Structures are given as C-alpha cells and as structure tokens.
C-alpha cells in the first residue's frame, strides 16, 4: 500500500508525512497534487505535493487538521498506510527563468510553495519568499524555504516573528526596497490569495494562485472543483490548480468551499467525541 | 401452446417502501417462475433474438437449460459469450435489443430474456462453483486503459486467449460507470465486484489509482513491454448547460452527484465520510437513464419533490421505458416541455430557484425528433434548492491529449475502425463510449469483445 515512512510535527495540528508512492514520485512536478483516501470509509481529498523523491520513491505532503479527514491523516504514524494515493494530478507549474520572483505562502500553504520556489531557483530566478503565519509557533518549513530562496521575509499576524501583519505587508516591504518583481506565486487560504491578487493587480505584477477547491475524483469527471476564471468555468483539477489570480472569482470559490460546512462539522464531531471519550478515561 | 402464456412479471420492492431505501428494486425470478418463463421460448431454429444481442449470446440454448432446470449449465453457456451476465441481465435495454427481435413479441409479449439471463447468472453466483481455467500463456502482454464495461470485456477475452492482461483504472475501484454511475438500487455493487473477481480468477491483473495520462502514458506502456493497448476510458466529462447560475452551491453534474452517492456511499454519511446534500425540491435536467438514476437517488436521499425537467415530451424521453415507469411509481414528477434559462441563488450563493420556459413541439429536426420551441411569455420560476445537470457527457481528454498521433474526431472521441476497433496508432485499439460517445453498457462490452478479437489477430503477427 502507500506506507508512511516519516512523520514530523511541524506545528500544532500541522503534520508532515513522507509516503511511499514510487510511481507518483517518478512523475511528480512542482504545482501538482495527489488525491488520497485514508481508509475504506474515507472520502477522497486533494493534497498539494510538498516534496518528491524519485530515487526513494516517496511523496511528502503537509496537512493541517481542519476536519474529520485531515484529523484521521494527521493522526497517522510511521508504518501506517493510506488505502489510496493517486497522482500526480493537475498541471505542473510553468517553471522558467522569469527574473525575480516572489513565492508567497500562508499557513499550511507554505508547503506547496516549497517545490515551486526550489524549481524556480534551479531555473535561475532570484527567489524571494514571503511566509505568513498567525504566530511564530505556527510558522512551518522556515529552514526548507530558506534553503530554496535567496531571501526570506516573514510576517506574523501577531508580530511574534518578523513583520507584524499579513503577507501583503511582507510584499510591500520588498517593494519598498525598489525590487522589480517579475512574477508572484501565492498559495494559502483563499482569503489570503484574494488579498494578494487585489494588492498586486493595480501594480500590474503577474500573480499565480493555486486553488484549493472541493474535489472528488480529481481527474475531470465531475466538476465539483469548478470555478470561474475570467468569466469562464474551469475545473481546478485538470485546468489548474494554478490560475491567474487577477482573473479568479474568489468570492464564488469561497462560497463553494463552504457548501458542505454543516456536514463537515457532523463528521468532525464523530472523531472529536471519540477523542474526548479516550481522554476521559 | 406455451407461448400464449403471458410473460412473467418481475417481482419488485413496493414503490412506497423502495423509494426510501437503496436496496435493489427488482428482486429477480424464483426458480419456478424462471422455468415457467423459459418454457415460453419456442426455440426458433433461426433465432432472431441472437441478432439483437450486441455480443451474440446463444439465447435459445441458455433458455432451454433453464427450462430443463439445469441452471449452472445455463450460466456456463451465457459466459461463453458474455463476461458479465449478472450485470447485463440487469442494465441492458433488452426491449430495443434481444427482446425486440423475439418472435413472440409480434403478437404478444417477448420472452423475458434479460430476466432469465439475470436469473441464471445470479444462481451461479449464489450456488455455483465453476472455476475459470487459465489458458496456456502466449507470452504476450496487453494493457487495458479503463476498467469499465468495454475494458473488462476486452480483458476477459484476451485472458481467455492466453495473453497476460493488465487493466489500469484511475479510480480506487474497477467497474467504471457500473460502480460510480448506476445506483445500488438498480445494480448492487456486490454483484459488480463478484463479476470482477471472476475476471481476476481468470488471471486478469487490475491496478487501481492509475491515471493514465499522468502516472504513465500509452507510449510508455508500449515501450515498457506491452504488445498492444486497448483504450476504454469512456465518456466521463460532464456537460453543463452554460446558463447563468450554474456554479451556485447546490448545482451538481450528474457525475458528481452519482459518484458521491454510489462510489463514495454518501447515502450512508457519516458512516462513510463523503457528504452529499439535497434540498426539499430537486430539479434534474435531462431525460436519459442517468437523469432517472439521479432523480431516484435524490428522492432516496430525502428530497420531498423531485422534478425531471425535460424540454421535449414524454414520447421523446431517451431513458428506458422501465426506468421511467419505476421513477413515476416512486413519485418523481415530470416537468416536460420545460427548460431552464437561469438558476437563481440567495445571498450565500445557494440555489433557490430556476427560471424556466415552457416549450411546444415544432417540426422534426435532424435527429427525426420534433424540435422543441420555446413559448413566448411562458417564463416561470420553479423553487428548487438542488439542481442536477444530466444532459450528457463527453470524452475525458486525459488520455487522448497525452497520446501523440492518436486521431480524434471533432467531438474529441477516438477515431477507430468500425470492424477492428484499430486506432491511428499501430497496436492501439479503442472501444466503448470513448469512441461512440455516451451509449450503453452492452454496446461497450460488445466493442471490447470485438477489439479483443482484433488484438488476438494483431498479436499473431508480432
């Protein structure tokens, strides 16, 4: 099966898992994702690839506990297996020498930014990374991002580390130094990607975002992941997940993401009640 | 004469009971009924029914064995030509195939061939112990892309011929539309899995979670030791109406809706983690079998009013008569000669209604059906909270766009020789919905079988 060979807690409720999936690892490119199922009753959920090692035959994913399925996965230990691990899916990031690029990651979104930053640097770009987190102890993968970047700017909401404020403040601090930015990749919560896109639009800086929509199959057969880009309906799983951030209808995407909120809460309660039961003993 | 006896009715779950559960609706013949029905067959010398079967089952022969009470023998005859009889007996449109040619149908009712096929296959599954024998190996390897009806029937034929067959399936279970599309209440998933297990016993290797076009490609398969490839990737790309409001919350493609409910078992949420949500009022757009499946599923998921919204009349519904009849019995409401022009949402982006137009039928169009013409000023609003778009599917481009040199038609379907199923690439064959566009399970199985015969010939020359 798809065995977890390494587990590392990156921050509270954020876990890194290195998973044996040789066929996926052989083909994986930055920007692509996998669809996983933890057990036979599980739903299929998409996770962006954080790292890949073709020699070792492994894919690394980073996941934050936000509901039932992610709770199951963050509780997995080394030696546990996924029943299904499908990929690589989606269209890979277009890696070229653009000049100076910004790689912006918010929260757990720093993980998918990592392979993109590394590949852009290998392609000869000057890579400046802007990492955002609510507070210092929730900032993940700082070391890895420093290794993949020429420069790293950190912003925390509470000011406990780096600049106090959001990633947009981090981007502003780079602009203040009169750095000419050729292209930006921004990955994180939809609200963060929306604010980055709104911030860069008047400046005319090309901004690419990676859309984390609801998905089922991840191969283009259902349209659960559809979104509107420049007024056109697109399927994030096969047409993306990366899109021009200035053309994405983020408000629609956020509403669609919230559709199953009540059901998600019902499922999550199931695992939380088991857990509290255990603690009670 | 026995043939004047009426055709035996299929016992079914009562409509009011079944509309609230996912158990199989049609319960199947008892042994006694099956024998009586089989005895209606007059055993024509020149049996027309066989011509009506896309895979050419020796129908009088298998029916005769049922009439004589030799059920296992009957199943054996079926399996000589049909790999998945328990499935075909359930989902084939027999009224337009084998049963449409039955001579008894001229003056009365045709023999219930489909029900008898189902009976023999089910009997064999429950009581039989006939093992498949593996054929001596030819040393040749064939890759099948897609584990739907076309791929599975092609795989079975090739395994019988002694080739090593590997099936590559993108989803986490094989079966294609049999697993994700057709609901449990029409085709129990345990039956599909048993039929597939039979193939595995024959030596067919099935690899799931393999998205060809991503994790590997047709070229790579040919370079890595496969002597031939069969493409049976189906018609899995959902079409939408392209009307305003189609991306609102509560609008599903039939593929998404049925995949959630069937494949992911969302009807059993939260025991299964995949959710599906329906409002009190549900509109299903379209009039085919998929639309009937979606509508009947919505009702079982707890909707109070389920509407089939179809722009032509009852006479033009493309769905099987039996499915329409079942749907009506279960309380599905047919809003015919009606078509939506917009879906309207509330402030949270959830569907609250559809704006529709009434239609009347005009002159026949290119398809020979009378063209629906909107009636001016007939606009009205239909309150619904869920819309399932079921207006057809196109070919999924994942494989076709990653296979250079593969000739496609203007709709994106693979161009394959009608006789041999050969594509523009030597050694690569294709069949089923990826070639014809969305059609039936049995036509796909027939195409898989034909392709297997061509692949056999091709491999002799290699």
């Amino acid at each position: 099966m798809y065995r977890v060979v390494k587990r590392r807690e990156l921050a509270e409720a954020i876990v890194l898992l290195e998973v044996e999936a040789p066929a996926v690892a052989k083909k994986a490119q930055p920007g692509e994702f996998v669809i996983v199922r933890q057990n036979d009753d599980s739903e299929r959920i998409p996770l962006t690839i954080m790292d890949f090692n073709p020699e070792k035959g492994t894919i690394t994913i980073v996941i934050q506990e936000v509901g039932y399925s992610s709770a199951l996965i963050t509780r997995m230990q080394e030696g546990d297996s996924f029943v299904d691990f499908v990929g690589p899916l989606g269209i890979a990031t277009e890696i070229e020498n653009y000049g100076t690029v910004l790689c912006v990651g918010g929260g757990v979104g720093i993980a998918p930014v990592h392979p993109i930053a590394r590949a852009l640097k290998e392609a000869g770009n000057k890579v400046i990374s802007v990492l955002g987190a609510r507070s210092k102890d929730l900032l993940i993968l700082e070391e890895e991002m420093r290794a993949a970047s020429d420069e790293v700017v950190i912003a925390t909401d509470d000011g406990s580390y780096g600049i106090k404020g959001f990633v947009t403040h981090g981007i502003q601090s780079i602009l203040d130094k009169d750095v000419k930015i050729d292209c930006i990749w921004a990955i994180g919560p939809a609200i963060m990607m929306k604010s980055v896109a709104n911030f860069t639009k008047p400046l005319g800086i090309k901004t690419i975002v990676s859309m984390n929509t609801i998905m089922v199959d991840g191969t283009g057969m259902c349209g659960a992941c559809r979104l509107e880009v420049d007024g056109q309906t697109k399927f994030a799983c096969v047409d993306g997940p990366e899109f021009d951030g200035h053309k994405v209808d983020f408000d629609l995407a956020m509403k669609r993401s919230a559709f199953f909120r009540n059901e998600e809460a019902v499922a999550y309660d199931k695992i939380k009640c088991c857990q509290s039961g255990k603690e009670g003993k | 004469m026995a043939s004047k006896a009426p055709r035996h009715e299929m016992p079914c779950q009562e409509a009011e009971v079944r509309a609230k559960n996912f158990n199989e609706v049609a319960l199947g013949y008892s042994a006694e009924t099956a024998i009586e029905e089989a005895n209606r067959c007059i055993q024509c010398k020149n049996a027309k029914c066989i011509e009506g079967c896309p895979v050419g089952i020796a129908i009088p022969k298998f029916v005769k064995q049922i009439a004589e009470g030799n059920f296992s023998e009957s199943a054996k005859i079926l399996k000589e030509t049909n790999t998945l009889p328990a499935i075909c007996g359930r989902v084939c449109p027999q009224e337009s195939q084998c049963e449409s040619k039955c001579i008894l149908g001229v003056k009365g009712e045709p023999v219930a061939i489909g029900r008898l096929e189902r009976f023999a296959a089910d009997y064999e599954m429950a009581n039989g112990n006939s093992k498949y024998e593996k054929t001596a190996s030819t040393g040749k390897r064939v890759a099948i892309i897609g584990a739907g009806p076309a791929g599975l029937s092609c795989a079975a034929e090739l395994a019988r011929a002694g080739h090593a067959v590997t099936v590559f399936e993108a989803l986490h279970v094989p079966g294609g539309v049999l697993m994700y599309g057709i609901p449990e209440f029409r085709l129990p998933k345990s039956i599909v899995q048993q039929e597939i297990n039979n193939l595995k016993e024959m030596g067919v290797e099935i690899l799931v979670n393999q998205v060809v076009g991503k994790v590997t490609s047709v070229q790579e398969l040919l370079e890595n030791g496969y002597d031939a490839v069969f493409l049976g990737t189906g018609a899995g790309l959902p079409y939408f109406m392209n009307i305003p409001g189609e991306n609102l919350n509560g609008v599903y493609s039939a593929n998404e809706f049925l995949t959630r409910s069937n494949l992911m078992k969302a009807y059993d949420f939260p025991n299964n983690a995949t959710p599906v949500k329906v409002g009190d009022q549900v509109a299903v757009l379209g009039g085919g079998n998929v639309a009937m499946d979606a509508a009947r599923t919505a009702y079982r998921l707890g909707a109070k009013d389920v509407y089939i919204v179809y722009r032509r009349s009852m006479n033009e519904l493309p769905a099987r008569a039996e499915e329409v009849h079942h749907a009506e019995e279960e309380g599905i409401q047919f809003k015919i000669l009606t078509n939506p022009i917009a879906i309207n949402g509330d402030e949270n982006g959830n569907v609250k209604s559809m704006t529709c137009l009434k239609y009347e039928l005009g002159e026949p169009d290119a398809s020979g059906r009378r063209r629906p013409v909107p009636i001016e000023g007939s606009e009205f609003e239909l309150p619904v909270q869920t819309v399932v778009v079921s207006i057809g599917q196109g070919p999924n481009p994942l494989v076709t766009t990653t296979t250079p040199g593969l000739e496609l038609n203007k709709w994106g379907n693979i161009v394959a020789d009608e006789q041999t199923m050969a594509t523009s690439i030597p050694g690569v064959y294709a069949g089923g919905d990826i070639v014809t566009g969305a059609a039936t399970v049995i036509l796909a199985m027939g195409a898989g079988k034909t392709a297997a015969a061509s692949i056999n010939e091709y491999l002799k020359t290699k």
Side-chain angles (χ1 to χ4, degrees):
Chain A
M1 290 271 90
Y2 308 94
R3 203 164 53 100
V4 174
V5 294
K6 193 171 124 189
R7 178 186 195 271
R8 204 175 114 202
E9 284 196 29
L10 301 181
E12 200 198 333
I14 303 180
V15 169
L16 173 152
L17 299 175
E18 191 178 341
V19 183
E20 274 178 354
V24 186
K26 209 169 133 190
K27 287 293 172 71
Q29 298 289 320
E32 293 177 328
F33 66 96
V34 289
I35 293 262
V36 307
R37 272 197 337 141
Q38 203 270 334
N39 66 46
D40 283 328
D41 306 325
S42 291
E43 58 182 331
R44 297 167 65 98
I45 62 163
L47 293 169
T48 319
I49 292 168
M50 183 252 159
D51 206 349
F52 44 93
N53 187 332
E55 287 79 38
K56 214 173 150 192
T58 59
I59 294 284
T60 302
I61 52 171
V62 171
I63 182 164
Q64 179 170 26
E65 178 174 331
V66 292
Y68 175 72
S69 295
S70 54
L72 281 187
I73 295 170
T74 51
R75 282 158 174 71
M76 289 175 82
Q77 300 300 320
E78 288 174 10
D80 290 348
S81 292
F82 287 90
V83 292
D84 300 300
F85 200 91
V86 193
L89 297 168
I91 297 174
T93 307
E94 268 185 60
I95 303 292
E96 281 173 37
N97 190 343
Y98 298 92
T100 299
V101 296
L102 281 197
C103 289
V104 182
V108 76
I110 294 170
V113 164
H114 173 259
I116 297 171
R118 188 175 60 189
L120 286 167
K121 187 153 187 252
E122 279 166 12
N125 292 282
K126 182 179 182 199
V127 176
I128 305 173
S129 292
V130 179
L131 312 181
R134 266 190 289 136
S135 62
K136 187 182 178 183
D137 49 345
L138 286 173
L139 180 72
I140 60 166
L141 301 169
E142 183 187 347
E143 213 175 294
E144 286 81 353
M145 287 305 294
R146 287 199 187 276
S149 321
D150 294 281
E151 191 184 331
V152 172
V153 174
I154 289 165
T156 50
D157 297 7
D158 63 359
S160 51
Y161 190 30
I163 295 169
K164 180 174 181 348
F166 303 119
V167 288
T168 42
H169 296 103
I171 299 170
Q172 184 61 55
S173 76
I174 295 158
L175 293 170
D176 289 343
K177 288 190 258 178
D178 275 339
V179 176
K180 184 186 168 289
I181 301 165
D182 295 293
C183 194
I184 295 183
W185 273 262
I187 308 182
I191 187 73
M192 179 214 103
M193 296 193 284
K194 181 187 173 183
S195 36
V196 172
N198 284 347
F199 180 76
T200 57
K201 198 173 181 180
L203 305 172
I205 306 172
K206 189 177 173 188
T207 301
I208 295 162
V209 296
S210 179
M211 298 305 290
N212 46 358
T213 59
I214 290 175
M215 288 189 191
V216 182
D217 63 289
T219 62
M221 65 171 262
C222 84
C225 64
R226 63 197 192 277
L227 71 168
E228 283 178 24
V229 182
D230 210 10
Q232 302 284 312
T233 295
K234 299 280 179 191
F235 289 6
C237 71
V238 288
D239 299 319
E242 292 186 2
F243 295 98
D244 181 338
H246 297 153
K247 294 180 176 167
V248 169
D249 184 337
F250 284 102
D251 293 336
L252 176 79
M254 285 187 270
K255 282 176 184 164
R256 285 186 65 82
S257 291
F259 183 52
F260 290 109
R261 192 170 281 162
N262 293 342
E263 288 73 16
E264 284 161 7
V266 168
Y268 198 14
D269 280 345
K270 215 169 66 167
I271 203 164
K272 281 194 290 197
C273 90
C274 298
Q275 197 184 20
S276 60
K278 266 184 213 159
E279 282 164 2
K281 275 183 192 168
Chain B
M1 209 167 113
S3 60
K4 283 192 183 147
R7 177 179 158 111
H8 292 80
E9 286 298 323
M10 186 65 144
C12 286
Q13 277 196 74
E14 290 297 326
E16 50 271 29
V17 177
R18 72 181 192 235
K20 295 292 161 200
N21 70 49
F22 277 84
N23 301 334
E24 193 171 17
V25 167
L27 300 171
Y29 279 161
S30 66
E32 296 72 37
T33 315
I35 291 172
E36 283 173 26
E37 180 65 25
N39 270 311
R40 292 181 64 233
C41 174
I42 58 170
Q43 294 289 319
C44 302
K45 280 246 153 47
N46 178 18
K48 297 279 186 213
C49 53
I50 302 178
E51 292 169 24
C53 173
V55 296
I57 292 175
I59 293 166
K61 222 172 131 191
F62 98 79
V63 172
K64 186 159 187 275
Q65 292 301 328
I66 295 178
E68 293 173 0
N70 304 325
F71 305 144
S72 284
E73 188 56 32
S74 174
K76 209 172 137 194
I77 295 164
L78 275 170
K79 291 198 174 184
E80 280 169 13
T81 35
N82 184 348
T83 327
L84 312 167
I87 293 167
C88 289
R90 286 175 166 81
V91 302
C92 274
Q94 290 101 4
E95 67 275 13
S96 60
Q97 295 177 339
C98 54
E99 292 176 11
S100 75
K101 307 271 181 173
C102 175
I103 200 81
L104 297 192
V106 178
K107 283 189 177 164
E109 289 180 306
V111 173
I113 300 167
R115 294 169 189 174
L116 291 173
E117 178 184 26
R118 168 185 163 149
F119 169 78
D122 284 2
Y123 177 87
E124 181 61 18
M125 229 177 237
N127 307 298
N129 46 14
S130 72
K131 290 278 175 218
Y132 283 92
E133 282 169 34
K134 285 186 192 172
T135 318
S137 169
T138 60
K140 299 284 201 305
R141 296 171 72 199
V142 185
I144 309 267
I145 319 303
L152 293 176
S153 87
C154 188
E157 294 297 316
L158 292 166
R160 248 178 228 165
H163 308 306
V165 180
T166 309
V167 183
F168 295 81
E169 167 57 41
L171 290 172
H172 57 273
V173 289
V177 73
L178 306 172
M179 289 302 288
Y180 76 74
I182 304 175
E184 179 76 17
F185 56 82
R186 221 151 62 74
L187 179 64
K189 302 307 148 209
S190 58
I191 301 249
V192 180
Q193 288 314 306
Q194 277 200 60
E195 295 269 45
I196 289 171
N197 286 342
N198 290 340
L199 295 192
K200 289 184 183 164
E201 256 177 50
M202 291 170 73
V204 173
E205 181 187 28
I206 301 180
L207 302 178
V208 295
N209 297 331
Q210 304 292 318
V211 184
V212 175
K214 289 289 174 189
V215 75
T216 185
S217 69
V218 172
Q219 258 96 340
E220 283 179 343
L221 293 170
L222 287 171
E223 283 159 18
N224 295 338
Y226 286 96
D227 300 292
V229 174
F230 174 76
L231 301 173
T233 51
L237 179 79
Y239 289 145
F240 285 92
M241 304 273 292
N242 295 316
I243 56 174
E246 221 165 4
N247 293 330
L248 287 165
N249 282 337
V251 183
Y252 300 90
S253 72
N255 270 6
E256 179 188 351
F257 188 66
L258 291 172
T259 298
R260 284 179 179 276
S261 183
N262 298 330
L263 180 72
M264 306 311 297
K265 301 190 170 65
Y267 61 79
D268 191 23
F269 177 86
N271 293 324
N272 283 274
T274 304
V276 68
K277 188 146 87 178
V278 294
D280 285 345
Q281 280 76 36
V282 178
V284 177
L285 312 182
N289 288 320
V290 178
M292 299 305 139
D293 285 345
R296 296 171 69 194
T297 296
Y299 208 58
R300 284 161 170 78
L301 289 172
K304 293 193 173 75
D305 299 291
V306 181
Y307 314 115
I308 290 276
V309 177
Y310 181 60
R311 64 196 183 119
R312 300 183 201 247
S313 75
M314 292 302 279
N315 293 329
E316 285 83 22
L317 280 171
R320 290 183 70 188
E322 187 184 332
E323 301 309 326
V324 174
H325 176 64
H326 277 157
E328 283 182 309
E329 278 184 345
E330 289 168 14
I332 308 297
Q333 301 164 54
F334 286 74
K335 299 217 174 272
I336 52 155
L337 293 164
T338 302
N339 208 34
I341 51 170
I343 303 169
N344 313 305
D346 64 17
E347 65 281 6
N348 297 319
N350 297 324
V351 173
K352 63 171 189 186
S353 70
M354 289 197 317
T355 306
C356 302
L357 287 180
K358 289 297 237 175
Y359 280 62
E360 58 192 353
L361 291 180
E363 294 301 307
D365 63 12
S367 74
R369 297 183 298 179
R370 292 175 64 193
R371 187 193 302 274
V373 185
I375 301 169
E376 227 173 290
S378 66
E379 200 172 301
F380 72 101
E381 205 167 311
L382 182 68
V384 290
Q385 302 81 44
T386 305
V387 177
V388 182
V389 184
S390 179
I391 56 166
Q393 296 100 238
N396 188 310
L398 271 183
V399 172
T400 54
T401 54
T402 53
T403 310
L406 187 66
E407 195 190 330
L408 306 178
N409 69 15
K410 63 175 172 178
W411 298 283
N413 294 105
I414 298 174
V415 176
D417 185 282
E418 278 182 33
Q419 307 296 318
T420 66
M421 307 285 153
T423 69
S424 54
I425 303 175
V428 178
Y429 296 76
D433 286 2
I434 188 65
V435 172
T436 57
T440 62
V441 167
I442 188 69
L443 282 173
M445 288 185 52
K449 207 174 156 174
T450 308
S454 304
I455 292 171
N456 272 332
E457 286 306 307
Y458 171 78
L459 291 179
K460 281 180 195 157
T461 67
K462 270 203 74 159

